[in-house]
Amino acid sequence: MLIFDSHAHYDDDMYKDDIDELIKEFKKNNVIGIINCGVDHDSCLSTIDLIKRYDIFYGSIGFHPESSHSFCDDSLDFLNRLKYNNNKIIAIGEIGLDYYHKEISPKEHQIKVFEYQMKLAKDLNLPVIVHDRDAHKDTLDSIKKFKGLKGVMHAFSGSSELAKEYIKLGYYIGIGGVATFKNSKKIIDVIRDIDIQNILVETDAPYMTPEPFRGKRNRSDYIYYVIDKISSIKNIDAEELSKILIDNSFNLFNIVLN
């Protein structure tokens, strides 16, 4: 089974001591690609370093809502420069809204920063990787302002009805380790109710580790357990499903393997 991880954070300190060994293991375990997502100024630069050092990585750059307080007048120029100097930057993200951590940045500022980056993505003709936590209405309202822009709803936590709204707008639904948890009824319903052509799989490594490794550091080859779960829900052979999921990622991010 081949694996493409559409969302990870390997610039995290949890990987600083063994990243070289991990990459070797991933290749042995049929991981053919990983998108590393920047969340602030420094992690965007770290993402650039990863995509230059390892052929398995692609990059996405942006300011996460928890980092929106550090977004300044120069931030859009910074992102723009990174993209034009690196052809393996394939998306803008991780961007979006997070009202769980209201104390970090006011809602109004988060929305402004989110929409600035959405406009940049549209100008650059890049898809977006969107974070939405406890902000379903405002996230959808902002996305509707940018018709024609495509992307993925990372770590989707909404209802089947909301998922279908995003699919109509050209967005994929990101499914990760949460789907394997025993108390994950909502995301199981979403998987059951939408077509596999609208799903991407992801780790959010080092977070959201699937069963049976929950509580440990996540890694891209653990996506096998997410694919296996989706396979059982949709009653589709896991090998066949993995090919469809890879095609979905390649279509969204305009990836062509050499």
Side-chain angles (χ1 to χ4, degrees), residues 34 41 64 102 129 145 147 149 169 172 177 182 186 189 198 207 216 227 253:
I34 303 166
H41 181 280
H64 188 284
K102 301 184 192 70
I129 297 174
K145 295 179 183 179
K147 297 188 186 307
L149 190 59
L169 293 168
Y172 290 80
K182 292 178 181 177
K186 183 186 282 189
D189 288 342
N198 303 120
Y207 314 108
K216 298 180 180 180
I227 294 174
F253 297 111

Side-chain angles (χ1 to χ4, degrees), residues 12 81 92 101 121 135 154 179 196-198 209 233:
D12 190 279
R81 288 195 305 273
I92 298 297
H101 296 290
H154 159 59
I196 56 172
Q197 307 290 344
N198 303 120
T209 311
I233 295 168

